[in-house]
Amino acid sequence: MAKYIMALDAGTTSSRCILFNKKGEVVSLAQKEFSQYFPQSGWVEHDAMEIWHTQYMVATQAMAKINATAKDIAAIGITNQRETTIVWDKETGEPVHRAIVWQDRRTAKYCEQLEKSGLTDIIKDKTGLILDPYFSATKIKWILENVPQAMSKANEGKLLFGTIETWLIWKLTGGACHVTDYSNASRTMLFNINELKWDDEILKRLEIPKEMLPKVMPSSCVYANTAKELFDGEIPIAGALGDQQSALFGQTCFKEGQTKNTYGTGCFLLMNTGTKPVHSKHGLLTTIAWGIGDEVFYALEGSIFVAGSAIQWLRDELDILDSADDSEYYANKVSDTCGCYVVPAFTGLGAPYWDPYARGAIVGLSRGVNKYHITRATLESLAFQTYDVLEAMLNDADIELSGLKVDGGAAKNNLLMQMQADILGTDVQRNACIETTAAGAAYMAGLAVGYWKNMNELIENADVDAIFEPQISDAERNDKIKRWHKAVESTRNWEK
Protein backbone atom coordinates (compact mmCIF):
# COMPACT_ATOMS: atom_id res chain seq x y z
CA MET A 1 0.00 0.00 0.00
CA ALA A 2 1.39 3.39 -1.02
CA LYS A 3 2.16 5.63 1.96
CA TYR A 4 1.91 9.19 0.65
CA ILE A 5 0.15 11.64 -1.64
CA MET A 6 2.35 14.11 -3.50
CA ALA A 7 1.16 17.69 -3.92
CA LEU A 8 2.91 19.90 -6.45
CA ASP A 9 2.30 23.52 -5.45
CA ALA A 10 3.21 25.65 -8.47
CA GLY A 11 3.14 29.16 -7.03
CA THR A 12 3.87 32.59 -8.48
CA THR A 13 7.40 32.86 -7.09
CA SER A 14 8.39 29.28 -6.26
CA SER A 15 7.82 25.60 -6.99
CA ARG A 16 7.05 23.45 -3.99
CA CYS A 17 6.43 19.78 -3.35
CA ILE A 18 4.76 18.44 -0.22
CA LEU A 19 4.20 14.81 0.70
CA PHE A 20 1.17 14.15 2.90
CA ASN A 21 0.30 11.05 4.90
CA LYS A 22 -3.12 9.53 5.55
CA LYS A 23 -3.77 11.93 8.45
CA GLY A 24 -3.17 14.92 6.18
CA GLU A 25 0.13 15.69 7.89
CA VAL A 26 3.16 17.10 6.07
CA VAL A 27 5.92 14.47 6.05
CA SER A 28 8.31 16.09 3.57
CA LEU A 29 8.65 19.46 1.86
CA ALA A 30 10.99 20.95 -0.73
CA GLN A 31 10.90 24.41 -2.31
CA LYS A 32 12.78 26.27 -5.04
CA GLU A 33 12.27 29.85 -6.19
CA PHE A 34 12.33 30.70 -9.89
CA SER A 35 13.04 33.86 -11.90
CA GLN A 36 10.65 36.77 -12.34
CA TYR A 37 10.88 38.83 -15.54
CA PHE A 38 9.57 42.39 -15.98
CA PRO A 39 10.31 43.35 -19.63
CA GLN A 40 8.23 46.53 -19.49
CA SER A 41 6.13 48.43 -16.96
CA GLY A 42 3.09 46.32 -16.13
CA TRP A 43 4.51 43.19 -17.83
CA VAL A 44 5.28 40.07 -15.78
CA GLU A 45 6.70 36.86 -17.25
CA HIS A 46 8.03 33.45 -16.18
CA ASP A 47 10.19 30.90 -17.97
CA ALA A 48 7.89 27.88 -18.41
CA MET A 49 10.84 25.50 -18.76
CA GLU A 50 12.32 26.82 -15.51
CA ILE A 51 8.97 26.22 -13.79
CA TRP A 52 9.03 22.63 -15.06
CA HIS A 53 12.65 22.02 -14.05
CA THR A 54 12.22 23.47 -10.55
CA GLN A 55 8.96 21.59 -10.03
CA TYR A 56 10.53 18.28 -11.04
CA MET A 57 13.60 19.05 -8.89
CA VAL A 58 11.58 19.65 -5.70
CA ALA A 59 9.50 16.53 -6.34
CA THR A 60 12.61 14.35 -6.41
CA GLN A 61 14.07 16.21 -3.41
CA ALA A 62 10.94 15.73 -1.28
CA MET A 63 10.99 12.01 -2.08
CA ALA A 64 14.73 11.70 -1.38
CA LYS A 65 14.40 13.35 2.05
CA ILE A 66 12.37 10.37 3.31
CA ASN A 67 13.77 7.76 0.88
CA ALA A 68 10.41 7.42 -0.87
CA THR A 69 10.12 5.63 -4.22
CA ALA A 70 7.41 5.78 -6.89
CA LYS A 71 5.71 2.81 -5.19
CA ASP A 72 5.33 4.86 -2.01
CA ILE A 73 3.35 7.61 -3.80
CA ALA A 74 -0.33 6.78 -4.30
CA ALA A 75 -0.99 9.76 -6.58
CA ILE A 76 0.03 13.29 -7.52
CA GLY A 77 -2.21 16.36 -7.13
CA ILE A 78 -1.33 19.75 -8.61
CA THR A 79 -2.32 23.21 -7.44
CA ASN A 80 -1.18 26.27 -9.33
CA GLN A 81 -1.05 30.01 -9.78
CA ARG A 82 -4.15 30.64 -11.86
CA GLU A 83 -4.58 32.45 -15.21
CA THR A 84 -0.86 32.39 -16.07
CA THR A 85 -0.64 31.49 -19.76
CA ILE A 86 1.73 29.21 -21.67
CA VAL A 87 1.63 28.46 -25.40
CA TRP A 88 3.98 25.77 -26.70
CA ASP A 89 4.84 23.86 -29.85
CA LYS A 90 3.05 20.52 -29.93
CA GLU A 91 5.90 18.78 -31.78
CA THR A 92 9.01 20.19 -30.10
CA GLY A 93 7.52 20.77 -26.64
CA GLU A 94 9.16 24.20 -26.54
CA PRO A 95 7.21 27.28 -25.36
CA VAL A 96 6.89 29.87 -28.14
CA HIS A 97 7.10 32.71 -25.60
CA ARG A 98 7.67 33.16 -21.90
CA ALA A 99 4.64 32.45 -19.71
CA ILE A 100 2.52 35.59 -19.27
CA VAL A 101 1.72 35.82 -15.56
CA TRP A 102 -1.69 36.55 -14.03
CA GLN A 103 -0.39 39.92 -12.75
CA ASP A 104 0.50 41.07 -16.28
CA ARG A 105 -1.48 44.10 -17.61
CA ARG A 106 -0.20 44.31 -21.20
CA THR A 107 -3.61 43.55 -22.72
CA ALA A 108 -5.46 46.38 -20.92
CA LYS A 109 -6.06 48.38 -24.12
CA TYR A 110 -7.25 45.30 -25.96
CA CYS A 111 -9.73 44.67 -23.13
CA GLU A 112 -11.00 48.24 -23.58
CA GLN A 113 -11.55 47.51 -27.29
CA LEU A 114 -13.48 44.34 -26.43
CA GLU A 115 -15.56 46.32 -23.95
CA LYS A 116 -16.46 48.87 -26.62
CA SER A 117 -17.45 46.04 -28.96
CA GLY A 118 -20.09 44.93 -26.45
CA LEU A 119 -18.40 41.83 -25.05
CA THR A 120 -18.59 42.78 -21.34
CA ASP A 121 -22.03 41.29 -20.57
CA ILE A 122 -21.38 38.24 -22.74
CA ILE A 123 -18.18 37.52 -20.80
CA LYS A 124 -19.90 38.01 -17.44
CA ASP A 125 -22.98 35.93 -18.27
CA LYS A 126 -21.07 33.04 -19.80
CA THR A 127 -17.84 32.88 -17.80
CA GLY A 128 -18.83 34.56 -14.51
CA LEU A 129 -15.80 36.86 -14.83
CA ILE A 130 -15.21 40.52 -15.53
CA LEU A 131 -13.51 41.51 -18.80
CA ASP A 132 -9.97 42.05 -17.57
CA PRO A 133 -6.30 41.42 -18.54
CA TYR A 134 -6.03 39.31 -15.36
CA PHE A 135 -7.51 36.28 -17.13
CA SER A 136 -5.91 33.98 -19.72
CA ALA A 137 -7.92 34.76 -22.86
CA THR A 138 -6.33 38.05 -23.90
CA LYS A 139 -2.87 36.74 -22.96
CA ILE A 140 -3.32 33.91 -25.50
CA LYS A 141 -4.47 36.46 -28.07
CA TRP A 142 -1.37 38.61 -27.44
CA ILE A 143 0.99 35.64 -27.98
CA LEU A 144 -0.79 34.63 -31.20
CA GLU A 145 -0.53 38.17 -32.56
CA ASN A 146 3.00 39.01 -31.43
CA VAL A 147 5.01 35.81 -31.87
CA PRO A 148 6.03 35.27 -35.52
CA GLN A 149 3.99 32.51 -37.23
CA ALA A 150 2.12 31.72 -34.01
CA MET A 151 -1.33 32.38 -35.45
CA SER A 152 -0.73 30.29 -38.57
CA LYS A 153 0.76 27.43 -36.51
CA ALA A 154 -2.19 27.58 -34.10
CA ASN A 155 -4.64 27.37 -36.99
CA GLU A 156 -2.75 24.33 -38.28
CA GLY A 157 -3.15 22.64 -34.87
CA LYS A 158 0.58 22.84 -34.07
CA LEU A 159 0.37 24.94 -30.88
CA LEU A 160 -1.09 24.08 -27.48
CA PHE A 161 -2.31 26.37 -24.71
CA GLY A 162 -2.32 25.61 -21.02
CA THR A 163 -2.32 27.16 -17.60
CA ILE A 164 0.44 25.92 -15.29
CA GLU A 165 -1.20 22.63 -14.23
CA THR A 166 -1.85 21.73 -17.89
CA TRP A 167 1.80 22.39 -18.75
CA LEU A 168 3.05 20.33 -15.81
CA ILE A 169 0.75 17.38 -16.59
CA TRP A 170 1.89 17.50 -20.23
CA LYS A 171 5.55 17.46 -19.15
CA LEU A 172 5.05 14.80 -16.45
CA THR A 173 3.42 12.48 -18.99
CA GLY A 174 6.02 13.06 -21.69
CA GLY A 175 3.54 14.97 -23.83
CA ALA A 176 0.87 12.24 -23.70
CA CYS A 177 -1.84 14.18 -21.85
CA HIS A 178 -3.22 17.67 -22.61
CA VAL A 179 -5.88 18.36 -19.96
CA THR A 180 -7.13 20.95 -17.49
CA ASP A 181 -9.68 20.81 -14.70
CA TYR A 182 -12.93 22.74 -14.29
CA SER A 183 -11.51 25.21 -11.75
CA ASN A 184 -8.63 26.32 -13.97
CA ALA A 185 -10.73 26.33 -17.14
CA SER A 186 -13.15 28.71 -15.43
CA ARG A 187 -10.33 31.27 -15.00
CA THR A 188 -9.47 31.56 -18.70
CA MET A 189 -12.41 33.81 -19.71
CA LEU A 190 -13.08 31.26 -22.47
CA PHE A 191 -15.06 28.62 -20.56
CA ASN A 192 -18.84 28.66 -20.35
CA ILE A 193 -19.49 27.81 -16.69
CA ASN A 194 -23.21 27.25 -17.32
CA GLU A 195 -22.77 24.72 -20.14
CA LEU A 196 -19.36 23.39 -18.95
CA LYS A 197 -17.60 23.75 -22.29
CA TRP A 198 -15.26 26.07 -24.19
CA ASP A 199 -17.41 28.87 -25.56
CA ASP A 200 -17.46 29.04 -29.37
CA GLU A 201 -18.75 32.63 -29.51
CA ILE A 202 -15.98 34.05 -27.29
CA LEU A 203 -13.31 31.99 -29.09
CA LYS A 204 -14.53 33.34 -32.43
CA ARG A 205 -14.59 36.97 -31.23
CA LEU A 206 -11.02 36.64 -29.90
CA GLU A 207 -9.84 34.55 -32.91
CA ILE A 208 -8.43 31.79 -30.72
CA PRO A 209 -8.42 28.33 -32.37
CA LYS A 210 -10.30 25.77 -30.27
CA GLU A 211 -7.73 23.10 -31.22
CA MET A 212 -5.20 24.79 -28.90
CA LEU A 213 -7.26 24.21 -25.80
CA PRO A 214 -6.92 21.28 -23.39
CA LYS A 215 -9.63 18.75 -22.62
CA VAL A 216 -11.60 19.81 -19.53
CA MET A 217 -11.96 17.11 -16.87
CA PRO A 218 -13.03 16.84 -13.20
CA SER A 219 -10.65 18.12 -10.53
CA SER A 220 -10.47 14.64 -8.99
CA CYS A 221 -9.81 11.86 -11.48
CA VAL A 222 -6.87 9.94 -12.91
CA TYR A 223 -5.65 11.95 -15.91
CA ALA A 224 -2.66 9.75 -16.77
CA ASN A 225 0.48 8.22 -15.27
CA THR A 226 3.83 9.96 -15.12
CA ALA A 227 6.45 8.91 -17.67
CA LYS A 228 8.27 5.93 -16.15
CA GLU A 229 11.76 7.43 -16.39
CA LEU A 230 10.96 10.50 -14.25
CA PHE A 231 10.53 8.72 -10.91
CA ASP A 232 11.81 5.27 -11.85
CA GLY A 233 8.21 4.05 -11.96
CA GLU A 234 4.76 5.35 -12.88
CA ILE A 235 2.65 7.50 -10.52
CA PRO A 236 -0.99 8.42 -11.27
CA ILE A 237 -1.67 12.15 -11.73
CA ALA A 238 -5.12 12.34 -10.19
CA GLY A 239 -5.92 15.85 -9.02
CA ALA A 240 -5.73 19.47 -10.21
CA LEU A 241 -7.09 22.69 -8.71
CA GLY A 242 -6.38 26.39 -9.05
CA ASP A 243 -4.70 27.63 -5.87
CA GLN A 244 -7.59 29.53 -4.28
CA GLN A 245 -10.12 26.78 -5.01
CA SER A 246 -7.59 24.31 -3.65
CA ALA A 247 -7.36 26.26 -0.39
CA LEU A 248 -11.18 26.19 -0.17
CA PHE A 249 -11.13 22.39 -0.55
CA GLY A 250 -8.12 22.02 1.74
CA GLN A 251 -10.09 23.92 4.39
CA THR A 252 -12.85 21.28 3.93
CA CYS A 253 -15.41 23.92 2.90
CA PHE A 254 -17.52 21.25 1.25
CA LYS A 255 -20.97 22.65 2.08
CA GLU A 256 -22.91 25.56 0.68
CA GLY A 257 -22.14 28.75 2.60
CA GLN A 258 -18.78 27.61 3.95
CA THR A 259 -16.17 30.28 3.33
CA LYS A 260 -12.40 30.69 3.55
CA ASN A 261 -10.15 33.71 3.53
CA THR A 262 -6.46 33.54 2.65
CA TYR A 263 -4.50 36.42 4.21
CA GLY A 264 -1.49 36.92 1.98
CA THR A 265 -0.15 39.97 0.17
CA GLY A 266 -3.81 40.53 -0.63
CA CYS A 267 -6.82 38.55 0.54
CA PHE A 268 -8.76 35.97 -1.45
CA LEU A 269 -12.22 35.11 -0.15
CA LEU A 270 -14.12 32.18 -1.61
CA MET A 271 -17.58 30.98 -0.63
CA ASN A 272 -18.92 27.59 -1.68
CA THR A 273 -22.31 28.31 -3.31
CA GLY A 274 -23.23 24.72 -4.14
CA THR A 275 -24.03 23.12 -7.48
CA LYS A 276 -25.48 26.20 -9.21
CA PRO A 277 -23.56 29.32 -10.23
CA VAL A 278 -24.53 32.49 -8.38
CA HIS A 279 -24.02 35.52 -10.61
CA SER A 280 -22.87 38.53 -8.63
CA LYS A 281 -24.53 41.93 -8.56
CA HIS A 282 -21.93 43.28 -6.16
CA GLY A 283 -18.65 43.17 -8.08
CA LEU A 284 -17.63 39.59 -7.23
CA LEU A 285 -16.48 36.82 -9.56
CA THR A 286 -18.48 33.66 -10.17
CA THR A 287 -16.13 30.74 -10.59
CA ILE A 288 -16.07 26.95 -10.54
CA ALA A 289 -14.80 25.63 -7.22
CA TRP A 290 -14.18 22.04 -8.37
CA GLY A 291 -15.63 19.06 -10.15
CA ILE A 292 -15.84 15.61 -8.58
CA GLY A 293 -17.46 12.83 -10.57
CA ASP A 294 -20.55 14.23 -12.29
CA GLU A 295 -20.97 17.10 -9.81
CA VAL A 296 -19.57 20.57 -10.30
CA PHE A 297 -19.48 23.00 -7.38
CA TYR A 298 -19.34 26.77 -7.75
CA ALA A 299 -17.97 29.61 -5.66
CA LEU A 300 -18.17 33.36 -5.31
CA GLU A 301 -14.77 35.03 -5.13
CA GLY A 302 -13.72 38.45 -3.92
CA SER A 303 -10.19 39.84 -4.00
CA ILE A 304 -8.74 42.43 -1.63
CA PHE A 305 -5.70 44.09 -3.19
CA VAL A 306 -3.87 45.12 -0.02
CA ALA A 307 -3.72 42.96 3.11
CA GLY A 308 -0.32 41.67 4.25
CA SER A 309 1.31 44.33 2.07
CA ALA A 310 -0.23 46.97 4.38
CA ILE A 311 1.84 45.50 7.21
CA GLN A 312 4.90 45.62 4.93
CA TRP A 313 4.09 49.31 4.34
CA LEU A 314 4.28 49.94 8.10
CA ARG A 315 7.66 48.20 8.11
CA ASP A 316 9.28 49.45 4.90
CA GLU A 317 7.83 52.90 4.23
CA LEU A 318 6.79 54.21 7.66
CA ASP A 319 9.56 52.40 9.54
CA ILE A 320 7.16 51.70 12.42
CA LEU A 321 7.95 47.97 12.57
CA ASP A 322 11.26 46.11 12.47
CA SER A 323 9.49 43.03 11.08
CA ALA A 324 5.93 42.22 9.98
CA ASP A 325 5.61 39.83 12.93
CA ASP A 326 5.96 42.80 15.32
CA SER A 327 2.54 44.14 14.27
CA GLU A 328 0.63 42.09 16.86
CA TYR A 329 2.98 43.13 19.67
CA TYR A 330 2.76 46.84 18.75
CA ALA A 331 -1.02 46.80 18.26
CA ASN A 332 -1.51 45.13 21.65
CA LYS A 333 0.21 48.06 23.39
CA VAL A 334 -3.07 50.00 23.05
CA SER A 335 -6.66 48.91 23.62
CA ASP A 336 -8.17 50.71 20.62
CA THR A 337 -7.21 52.86 17.61
CA CYS A 338 -7.93 56.20 19.36
CA GLY A 339 -10.61 56.79 16.72
CA CYS A 340 -8.32 56.55 13.68
CA TYR A 341 -8.95 54.38 10.61
CA VAL A 342 -6.48 53.29 7.93
CA VAL A 343 -7.82 52.63 4.43
CA PRO A 344 -4.94 50.96 2.51
CA ALA A 345 -6.24 51.76 -0.98
CA PHE A 346 -2.69 52.12 -2.33
CA THR A 347 -3.64 50.76 -5.78
CA GLY A 348 -7.33 51.57 -5.66
CA LEU A 349 -10.12 49.54 -4.07
CA GLY A 350 -11.03 46.00 -5.15
CA ALA A 351 -14.27 44.16 -4.45
CA PRO A 352 -16.95 45.26 -3.85
CA TYR A 353 -16.03 48.89 -4.73
CA TRP A 354 -13.87 48.45 -7.86
CA ASP A 355 -12.57 52.01 -7.70
CA PRO A 356 -9.15 52.25 -9.40
CA TYR A 357 -9.02 55.98 -8.55
CA ALA A 358 -9.23 55.55 -4.76
CA ARG A 359 -6.05 56.12 -2.77
CA GLY A 360 -5.00 55.27 0.77
CA ALA A 361 -5.76 57.43 3.77
CA ILE A 362 -5.47 57.67 7.54
CA VAL A 363 -8.55 59.46 8.88
CA GLY A 364 -9.83 60.40 12.33
CA LEU A 365 -6.41 61.59 13.49
CA SER A 366 -6.21 63.41 16.80
CA ARG A 367 -3.21 64.63 18.84
CA GLY A 368 -3.24 61.44 20.90
CA VAL A 369 -2.78 59.02 17.97
CA ASN A 370 0.61 57.28 18.00
CA LYS A 371 2.35 54.54 16.01
CA TYR A 372 0.69 51.82 18.07
CA HIS A 373 -2.79 53.12 17.20
CA ILE A 374 -1.84 53.33 13.51
CA THR A 375 -0.52 49.76 13.62
CA ARG A 376 -3.74 48.55 15.25
CA ALA A 377 -5.87 50.46 12.73
CA THR A 378 -3.89 48.95 9.85
CA LEU A 379 -4.52 45.43 11.16
CA GLU A 380 -8.18 46.30 11.63
CA SER A 381 -8.40 47.43 7.98
CA LEU A 382 -7.83 43.82 6.87
CA ALA A 383 -10.80 42.72 8.95
CA PHE A 384 -13.01 45.55 7.65
CA GLN A 385 -12.16 44.81 4.01
CA THR A 386 -12.98 41.15 4.59
CA TYR A 387 -16.32 42.21 6.10
CA ASP A 388 -17.18 44.25 2.99
CA VAL A 389 -16.50 41.35 0.61
CA LEU A 390 -18.36 38.84 2.78
CA GLU A 391 -21.34 41.17 3.02
CA ALA A 392 -21.44 41.33 -0.78
CA MET A 393 -21.23 37.53 -0.98
CA LEU A 394 -24.11 37.07 1.45
CA ASN A 395 -26.24 39.57 -0.48
CA ASP A 396 -25.49 37.80 -3.77
CA ALA A 397 -25.94 34.24 -2.59
CA ASP A 398 -28.71 34.73 -0.03
CA ILE A 399 -26.87 32.19 2.11
CA GLU A 400 -26.28 32.37 5.85
CA LEU A 401 -22.60 32.54 6.80
CA SER A 402 -21.54 29.46 8.75
CA GLY A 403 -18.28 30.82 10.15
CA LEU A 404 -15.05 31.72 8.39
CA LYS A 405 -12.01 29.47 7.95
CA VAL A 406 -8.69 31.24 7.60
CA ASP A 407 -5.19 30.57 6.31
CA GLY A 408 -2.19 32.48 4.98
CA GLY A 409 0.69 34.24 6.74
CA ALA A 410 -1.31 36.96 8.53
CA ALA A 411 -3.77 34.36 9.88
CA LYS A 412 -1.09 33.53 12.48
CA ASN A 413 -1.76 36.94 14.07
CA ASN A 414 -4.11 36.19 17.00
CA LEU A 415 -5.14 39.82 17.46
CA LEU A 416 -6.11 40.17 13.80
CA MET A 417 -8.16 36.97 13.96
CA GLN A 418 -9.97 38.25 17.08
CA MET A 419 -10.65 41.55 15.28
CA GLN A 420 -12.03 39.56 12.36
CA ALA A 421 -14.41 37.59 14.59
CA ASP A 422 -15.54 40.80 16.30
CA ILE A 423 -16.24 42.69 13.08
CA LEU A 424 -17.98 39.77 11.36
CA GLY A 425 -19.95 38.77 14.42
CA THR A 426 -19.16 35.12 13.71
CA ASP A 427 -16.59 32.48 14.65
CA VAL A 428 -13.23 32.42 12.86
CA GLN A 429 -11.51 29.03 12.66
CA ARG A 430 -7.79 28.52 12.09
CA ASN A 431 -6.51 25.02 11.40
CA ALA A 432 -3.19 23.66 12.65
CA CYS A 433 -2.05 22.75 9.10
CA ILE A 434 -1.13 25.95 7.28
CA GLU A 435 -0.52 24.10 3.98
CA THR A 436 -4.19 24.17 3.03
CA THR A 437 -3.58 25.00 -0.64
CA ALA A 438 -1.34 21.98 -1.19
CA ALA A 439 -3.65 19.86 0.98
CA GLY A 440 -6.58 20.61 -1.34
CA ALA A 441 -4.74 19.20 -4.36
CA ALA A 442 -3.55 16.22 -2.32
CA TYR A 443 -7.08 15.50 -1.16
CA MET A 444 -8.41 15.62 -4.74
CA ALA A 445 -5.76 13.14 -5.91
CA GLY A 446 -6.21 10.89 -2.88
CA LEU A 447 -9.97 10.67 -3.34
CA ALA A 448 -9.53 9.73 -7.01
CA VAL A 449 -7.35 6.70 -6.23
CA GLY A 450 -9.10 5.61 -3.03
CA TYR A 451 -6.29 6.70 -0.67
CA TRP A 452 -9.06 8.45 1.25
CA LYS A 453 -12.46 6.76 1.02
CA ASN A 454 -14.63 9.86 1.23
CA MET A 455 -14.78 13.51 2.24
CA ASN A 456 -15.75 12.64 5.81
CA GLU A 457 -12.24 11.24 6.28
CA LEU A 458 -10.84 14.60 5.21
CA ILE A 459 -13.03 16.47 7.70
CA GLU A 460 -11.72 14.16 10.44
CA ASN A 461 -8.16 15.13 9.39
CA ALA A 462 -8.83 18.82 10.08
CA ASP A 463 -6.91 19.67 13.25
CA VAL A 464 -8.28 22.95 14.62
CA ASP A 465 -5.61 25.22 16.07
CA ALA A 466 -7.89 27.96 17.40
CA ILE A 467 -11.44 29.27 17.21
CA PHE A 468 -11.95 33.01 17.74
CA GLU A 469 -15.41 34.04 18.96
CA PRO A 470 -16.92 37.55 18.79
CA GLN A 471 -16.33 39.53 21.97
CA ILE A 472 -17.93 42.91 21.27
CA SER A 473 -21.58 44.02 21.30
CA ASP A 474 -23.68 44.49 18.16
CA ALA A 475 -23.84 48.22 18.89
CA GLU A 476 -20.05 48.54 19.04
CA ARG A 477 -19.66 46.43 15.89
CA ASN A 478 -22.18 48.50 13.94
CA ASP A 479 -20.54 51.76 15.03
CA LYS A 480 -17.10 50.53 13.91
CA ILE A 481 -18.45 49.44 10.52
CA LYS A 482 -20.29 52.75 10.05
CA ARG A 483 -17.10 54.73 10.72
CA TRP A 484 -15.08 52.41 8.45
CA HIS A 485 -17.47 53.08 5.56
CA LYS A 486 -17.21 56.80 6.25
CA ALA A 487 -13.41 56.46 6.04
CA VAL A 488 -13.65 54.49 2.77
CA GLU A 489 -15.84 57.19 1.22
CA SER A 490 -13.14 59.77 1.92
CA THR A 491 -10.73 57.86 -0.35
CA ARG A 492 -13.05 57.38 -3.33
CA ASN A 493 -12.22 58.91 -6.75
CA TRP A 494 -9.16 60.64 -5.29
CA GLU A 495 -7.17 60.48 -8.53
CA LYS A 496 -10.03 61.61 -10.80
Side-chain angles (χ1 to χ4, degrees), residues 183-301:
S183 73
N184 280 294
S186 74
R187 310 298 297 190
T188 60
M189 214 168 74
L190 298 172
F191 191 70
N192 189 315
I193 63 169
N194 307 298
E195 299 177 5
L196 300 179
K197 64 180 185 180
W198 298 117
D199 192 86
D200 291 327
E201 181 185 5
I202 298 172
L203 287 168
K204 187 176 179 182
R205 292 283 287 270
L206 270 65
E207 298 177 299
I208 295 173
K210 197 173 185 178
E211 294 72 25
M212 295 179 69
L213 307 181
K215 181 181 180 182
V216 185
M217 297 181 71
S219 312
S220 178
C221 69
V222 177
Y223 305 118
N225 290 334
T226 60
K228 193 175 289 185
E229 65 272 13
L230 291 176
F231 301 104
D232 197 23
E234 296 181 351
I235 304 172
I237 305 168
L241 268 180
D243 55 9
Q244 298 307 323
Q245 289 97 327
S246 195
L248 187 71
F249 198 81
Q251 287 275 26
T252 65
C253 293
F254 302 148
K255 294 179 181 177
E256 191 176 292
Q258 290 187 321
T259 308
K260 74 91 189 172
N261 192 18
T262 298
Y263 298 80
T265 303
C267 278
F268 286 93
L269 278 100
L270 270 78
M271 173 187 280
N272 184 334
T273 60
T275 54
K276 290 184 179 178
V278 173
H279 290 278
S280 177
K281 296 176 182 175
H282 297 87
L284 305 177
L285 302 178
T286 304
T287 196
I288 293 179
W290 52 73
I292 299 179
D294 295 330
E295 279 197 314
V296 169
F297 282 78
Y298 294 84
L300 279 170
E301 177 174 328

Side-chain angles (χ1 to χ4, degrees), residues 6 110 112 124 139 153 191 213 226 287 299 380 466 468:
M6 177 186 288
Y110 180 55
E112 289 174 12
K124 187 177 180 184
K139 302 180 197 299
K153 280 188 173 182
F191 191 70
L213 307 181
T226 60
T287 196
E380 210 168 50
F468 300 86

